[in-house]
Structure formats: structure tokens, C-alpha cells
């Protein structure tokens, strides 16, 4: 099972997961042009996708979806609240939507997909765990907090794309207004580096072999800082999973479960 991010950050998110001939995209938060080009760099076209899994309706996760649906006939899987929000924003998506309630599993091109609820200030936000029966990968971003349910879903997952959004001192001293700082720091906001490190330690203890830090804020974090905080936490516990960083606006390297 392979994972590559097409983009991962506050300005846009899209993740490609592949196993054999199956290929799914998690979110389409960059332009259709960029999605098409980066899929081409992976040897694919949008029409080769078996499905698009949408986590929630915020622009940095769906910005390219409307135009993309004008050019290809790919099913979109999303929770009830997200489906409703997508139709309001991009009516063209209506005939492509497949309702997947949070907390359920479904089959997609030989893959088992689990949609798990995530605490985020969106209509009906979810993350996804994808398994081919041998290996598994998950996208766990846009988390205001790490719930016991999320831990249980991610336990034993081979590869996890994990949010490490912000450094709290940088956020507090940065350009964001107070109300936005409070939103990000809330239980329905985003994970800071230290919270990401705590979850990384837990997952590594449970057998996760590859952790990729993603959804880093351009204004309130740096790749070097996020990586250092998580790596040091893992080292203190004597843990050594493969640790990667998803670039904000370019195709990542290939991560294999």
C-alpha cells in the first residue's frame, strides 16, 4: 500500500492512496489543474481513480472538486453533513455523491474503507482508514483533539498521515487575530506539535511503522520544528518508526505501508 500527498497544509490538501490497481484520493483541496498534473506524475489520470473520499467541506479540502467533476465521472464518498455542504457549494457534485455515515466501513475497489468521526468545526468531519487486507493506511488530520475512538481506529494501522498543524507559541505571537487563534486551539480546531507527538508515540507503540506529519500551518509552524518535536518524543520512548514530512504544495515522496 502506497501513500503520496499531492498537497498538505492550510492552503490545500489532497492525498493519494494506492494498492495494486486500486487508487483513491482523500480530499481535493487544490486546483483541478494541480490535481491532474500531480496524478500524472504518479502515472495516473483523474479517470483512473476508483473514488474520492472527502473528509469535510472546508475549502482547503474541496477547492478542486467542482471543476474535477466536470471532467471525470468518479464517485465521491462523504458523510451526510458533508454531502449536504458539497451540494450547496458545488451542485455539480450531486450526481457523484455516495453517502458514508461516520463510523461505518465500506468496500471500494477491493479496499476496506473506515470513515471515523473527527472533532473539527465542520458539518460532519471524518478521517479515513484504508486497508487492502494485508496493509493499512490512514489520514488523520483536522483534529481538535485525539479521542479514544480515534485511537482505537488507528491502533495497528501501518501508515498514518498525522496532523501536526501548529506551534502554540508561534500561533500566539503570530499574525492571526485572537478569535482565529482560539478556534485553532479549541477542541474542534487543529492539533499542535506536542499533541501530534503524543499520538505518534502511542501509535508507534501499537505497531505503526510509518508516520507522516501533515497539514502544517505556513504561518504558525515550520517543518523543522514539527519534525523535531515529534522525533524527540519518539526517541525519549525508544521508538523508531519511519518519520516523514508532507510538503505543503508539491507532490511528496512515496510512503509505503
Amino acid at each position: 500500500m502506497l501513500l503520496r500527498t499531492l498537497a498538505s497544509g492550510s492552503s490545500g490538501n489532497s492525498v493519494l492512496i494506492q494498492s495494486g490497481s486500486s487508487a483513491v484520493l482523500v480530499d481535493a483541496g487544490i486546483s483541478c489543474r494541480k490535481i491532474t498534473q500531480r496524478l500524472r506524475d504518479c502515472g495516473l489520470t483523474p479517470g483512473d481513480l476508483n473514488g474520492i473520499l472527502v473528509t469535510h467541506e472546508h475549502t482547503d479540502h474541496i477547492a478542486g472538486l467542482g471543476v474535477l467533476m466536470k471532467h471525470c465521472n468518479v464517485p465521491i464518498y462523504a458523510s451526510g453533513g458533508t454531502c449536504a455542504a458539497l451540494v450547496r457549494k458545488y451542485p455539480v457534485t450531486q450526481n457523484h455523491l455516495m453517502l458514508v455515515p461516520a463510523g461505518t466501513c465500506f468496500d471500494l475497489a477491493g479496499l476496506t474503507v473506515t470513515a471515523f468521526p473527527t472533532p473539527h468545526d465542520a458539518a460532519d468531519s471524518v478521517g479515513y482508514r484504508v486497508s487492502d487486507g494485508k496493509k493499512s493506511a490512514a489520514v488523520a488530520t483536522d483534529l481538535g483533539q485525539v479521542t479514544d475512538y480515534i485511537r482505537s481506529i488507528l491502533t495497528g494501522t501501518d501508515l498514518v498521515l498525522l496532523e501536526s498543524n501548529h506551534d502554540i507559541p508561534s500561533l500566539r505571537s503570530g499574525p492571526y487575530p485572537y478569535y482565529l487563534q482560539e478556534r485553532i486551539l479549541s477542541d474542534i480546531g487543529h492539533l499542535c506539535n506536542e499533541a501530534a507527538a503524543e499520538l505518534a508515540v502511542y501509535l508507534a507503540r501499537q505497531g505503526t511503522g510509518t508516520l507522516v506529519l501533515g497539514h502544517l500551518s505556513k504561518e504558525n509552524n515550520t517543518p523543522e520544528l514539527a519534525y523535531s518535536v515529534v522525533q524527540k518524543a519518539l526517541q525519549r520512548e525508544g521508538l523508531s518508526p519511519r518519520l516523514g514530512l508532507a510538503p505543503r504544495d508539491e507532490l511528496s515522496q512515496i510512503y509505503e505501508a
Side-chain angles (χ1 to χ4, degrees):
M1 179 166 284
L2 307 177
L3 182 147
R4 299 186 81 173
T5 58
L6 310 190
S8 183
S10 300
S11 59
N13 297 272
S14 189
V15 184
L16 175 66
I17 299 176
Q18 294 175 275
S19 179
S21 61
S22 302
V24 297
L25 201 65
V26 181
D27 289 331
I30 54 178
S31 71
C32 178
R33 180 184 59 82
K34 287 183 177 180
I35 290 171
T36 301
Q37 180 58 60
R38 290 171 194 177
L39 286 176
R40 186 179 298 122
D41 292 340
C42 298
L44 299 171
T45 69
D48 294 322
L49 296 171
N50 298 108
I52 300 173
L53 311 175
V54 177
T55 60
H56 62 291
E57 78 279 8
H58 288 168
T59 301
D60 59 319
H61 293 263
I62 65 166
L65 204 54
V67 176
L68 194 61
M69 289 302 100
K70 294 178 181 178
H71 297 284
C72 64
N73 185 27
V74 177
I76 301 169
Y77 297 83
S79 64
T82 301
C83 283
L86 287 176
V87 172
R88 288 194 298 271
K89 288 192 174 186
Y90 304 122
V92 69
T93 63
Q94 184 165 8
N95 293 331
H96 300 268
L97 289 173
M98 305 289 288
L99 174 62
V100 180
T104 60
C105 297
F106 61 98
D107 293 327
L108 174 57
L111 303 173
T112 299
V113 181
T114 303
F116 57 91
T118 53
H120 193 53
D121 58 346
D124 194 6
S125 181
V126 300
Y128 292 100
R129 183 182 187 274
V130 181
S131 173
D132 63 5
K134 296 179 180 179
K135 295 292 184 177
S136 56
V139 175
T141 62
D142 298 79
L143 310 174
Q145 58 181 310
V146 181
T147 64
D148 289 341
Y149 188 79
I150 290 173
R151 288 189 185 90
S152 69
I153 290 292
L154 297 181
T155 294
T157 303
D158 297 289
L159 190 164
V160 177
L161 175 65
L162 171 64
E163 177 174 54
S164 191
N165 177 257
H166 60 277
D167 168 62
I168 294 177
S170 298
L171 175 63
R172 283 305 195 191
S173 62
Y176 281 11
Y178 180 75
Y179 80 88
L180 185 53
Q181 294 179 25
E182 290 299 292
R183 170 191 170 263
I184 291 168
L185 292 168
S186 75
D187 286 346
I188 53 173
H190 292 277
L191 285 191
C192 67
N193 293 336
E194 288 74 18
E198 183 179 347
L199 180 55
V201 167
Y202 171 82
L203 292 174
R205 283 176 176 160
Q206 304 303 314
T208 298
T210 302
L211 292 159
V212 183
L213 305 181
H215 212 306
L216 275 68
S217 168
K218 182 179 180 180
E219 293 79 12
N220 306 307
N221 209 354
T222 67
E224 296 78 14
L225 182 56
Y227 189 92
S228 175
V229 169
V230 176
Q231 183 185 49
K232 287 178 180 177
L234 290 165
Q235 289 177 339
R236 283 194 298 269
E237 300 299 323
L239 300 166
S240 54
R242 183 184 183 193
L243 183 62
L245 274 168
R248 290 192 186 98
D249 192 28
E250 59 187 66
L251 184 66
S252 77
Q253 67 183 82
I254 299 172
Y255 293 98
E256 185 171 359

